[in-house]
Amino acid sequence: MAKRIQFARTGGSEVLELVDVTPAEPGPGEVRVANRAVGLNFIDIYFRTGLYPAPSLPSGLGTEGAGVVDAVGEGVTHLKPGDRVAYAQGPLGAYAELHTLPAAKVVVLPEGIDFETAAASMLKGLTVQYLMRQTHRLEAGETILWHAAAGGVGSIACQWARALGVRLIGTVSSPEKAALAEKNGAWATIDYTKEDVVERVRELTDGAMCDVVYDSVGKDTWETSLDCLKPRSLMVSFGNASGAVEGVNLGILNQKGSLFTTRPSLNGYADTRERLEAMAAELFEMLESGKVTVDISSRYPLAEAGKAQDALQGRQTTGSTILLP
Ligand code: NDP
């Protein structure tokens, strides 16, 4: 038997329960990973609350982890028992001691990257990789707006932007979060609880505004974000921390300056093993070179996953949080 977190109905963090299950044997093309550390992500909250429907209930939760390959199914050639690995994509069930998933979603971890760092950065770091290097290939000297700049994805984004020579303006909700984002390389920060974001962006850019806005807050910030863009530039809406953006009239893109918009996801970019491996190689290079360091601000035992989610949802966290099985 092995422990995992599951939920039988959607709702608040009280629906999460720690249970003993018989771990699934890996089928053809699958591996089973003995997790050493598990990543906590906002998407886990979307599944728990039902914003994103789980395929069936009861369901496991979580898509990010790092550990050691415990068993491999038929036809798996790039992994063997004992390999140190990490992963950042479904199926749900990473909040567990043992997790079985398609081998194509699992990459070998370089010696220099420990399990905690990997679990704290695979999903968030691969997200920054595709957003900054693929959705729009950022160039030195460009100016971007990044919401939640002191969060898990945001902390990596600030450092990656600095490494690229990109001017990242980060939004945050407190002076402590502003200081952290700036330490990580944000060119400037805006405390949206006290300052008008559009006006501050106008001042900071001498009226030029931003080349790209990266918005993971969603509903609350959609229109403000559009107002921070240069004409004909790109709005990247990649999350729903405040709720989903709904009912958009495409005409607003015309009114705000012939803008472009996209709603991307990690699964849409890391959709083949080759693409995942290439993206992971770039992330690992950033970590091993020290250009990006991962701030693990909180560690919780697996049993306290609900408490960890409440802290993330309640805007109390900075950087990454991990669960320890
Ligand atoms: P964070 O650590 O960034 O936590 C969320 C942060 O969002 C909070 O700390 C808070 O920062 C800010 N926030 C603003 N409004 C709200 C609100 N109403 N409720 C809660 N938080 C709010 O989380 P993650 O790093 O895990 O994820 C960041 C975002 O990126 C999420 O929206 C997630 O869904 C998205 N994401 C998208 C992916 C994709 O491929 N599309 C992949 C990975 C993540 P502050 O207090 O400073 O405002």
Side-chain angles (χ1 to χ4, degrees):
M1 297 295 264
K3 298 207 180 303
R4 80 159 184 172
I5 293 284
Q6 67 175 33
F7 61 113
R9 60 192 167 87
T10 56
S13 61
E14 71 283 353
V15 301
L16 300 183
E17 44 181 6
L18 185 69
V19 294
D20 283 310
V21 289
T22 308
E25 287 303 321
E30 290 184 334
V31 289
R32 191 166 65 202
V33 179
N35 284 329
R36 296 290 173 77
V38 172
L40 183 83
N41 291 286
F42 225 93
I43 191 171
D44 310 338
I45 295 169
Y46 305 149
F47 279 109
R48 191 204 70 212
T49 58
L51 177 68
Y52 293 175
S56 62
L57 293 176
S59 170
L61 193 58
T63 56
E64 180 180 40
V68 175
V69 174
D70 165 70
V72 299
E74 210 183 300
V76 175
T77 52
H78 76 291
L79 298 171
K80 58 181 187 317
D83 282 350
R84 299 171 71 255
V85 294
Y87 55 88
Q89 293 171 277
L92 299 180
Y95 286 18
E97 290 175 340
L98 291 171
H99 183 38
T100 301
L101 73 165
K105 309 264 182 226
V106 178
V107 298
V108 172
L109 208 50
E111 282 299 313
I113 300 177
D114 61 68
F115 294 124
E116 292 199 353
T117 300
S121 65
M122 273 298 280
L123 197 153
K124 300 167 189 74
L126 291 175
T127 299
V128 173
Q129 194 284 335
Y130 84 72
L131 289 173
M132 289 193 166
R133 308 283 291 152
Q134 300 187 65
T135 302
H136 175 85
R137 200 170 173 88
L138 284 170
E139 306 275 351
E142 285 187 309
T143 303
I144 64 175
L145 182 69
W146 195 289
H147 292 292
V153 178
S155 293
I156 295 174
C158 289
Q159 298 173 70
W160 208 311
R162 174 170 57 191
L164 292 172
V166 166
R167 303 196 307 180
L168 182 150
I169 302 173
T171 74
V172 290
S173 66
S174 71
E176 295 74 25
K177 287 186 175 185
L180 181 68
E182 284 169 26
K183 183 180 119 273
N184 281 330
W187 173 70
T189 52
I190 302 174
D191 183 338
Y192 66 85
T193 66
K194 301 194 186 84
E195 299 173 291
D196 182 297
V197 174
V198 181
E199 280 319 305
R200 280 294 289 145
V201 168
R202 201 182 310 283
E203 278 166 27
L204 287 162
T205 61
D206 291 328
M209 311 310 274
C210 297
D211 295 286
V212 187
V213 173
Y214 292 99
D215 185 337
S216 63
V217 174
K219 193 166 134 191
D220 287 356
T221 46
W222 163 255
E223 229 170 296
T224 302
S225 292
L226 296 180
D227 284 331
C228 291
L229 282 162
K230 288 179 182 173
R232 300 175 300 285
S233 61
L234 179 65
M235 164 70 178
V236 182
S237 176
F238 73 100
N240 327 282
S242 68
V245 177
E246 283 170 356
V248 173
N249 175 352
L250 275 184
I252 198 167
L253 300 176
N254 162 23
Q255 291 155 24
K256 305 278 184 190
S258 295
L259 302 174
F260 294 80
T261 190
T262 181
R263 176 54 177 94
S265 71
L266 177 58
N267 285 341
Y269 279 83
D271 58 346
T272 63
R273 191 178 136 212
E274 292 68 31
R275 289 178 60 87
L276 170 64
E277 299 259 359
M279 292 164 66
E282 201 178 327
L283 170 63
F284 294 156
E285 201 278 315
M286 295 301 282
L287 294 171
E288 289 190 298
S289 67
K291 288 178 187 157
V292 169
T293 56
V294 182
D295 169 23
I296 304 174
S297 59
S298 325
R299 294 171 174 79
Y300 290 83
L302 185 60
E304 292 182 14
K307 200 170 150 190
Q309 288 196 345
D310 285 343
L312 181 64
Q313 196 170 8
R315 307 185 205 198
Q316 290 157 22
T317 61
T318 55
S320 296
T321 299
I322 55 170
L323 306 175
L324 299 172

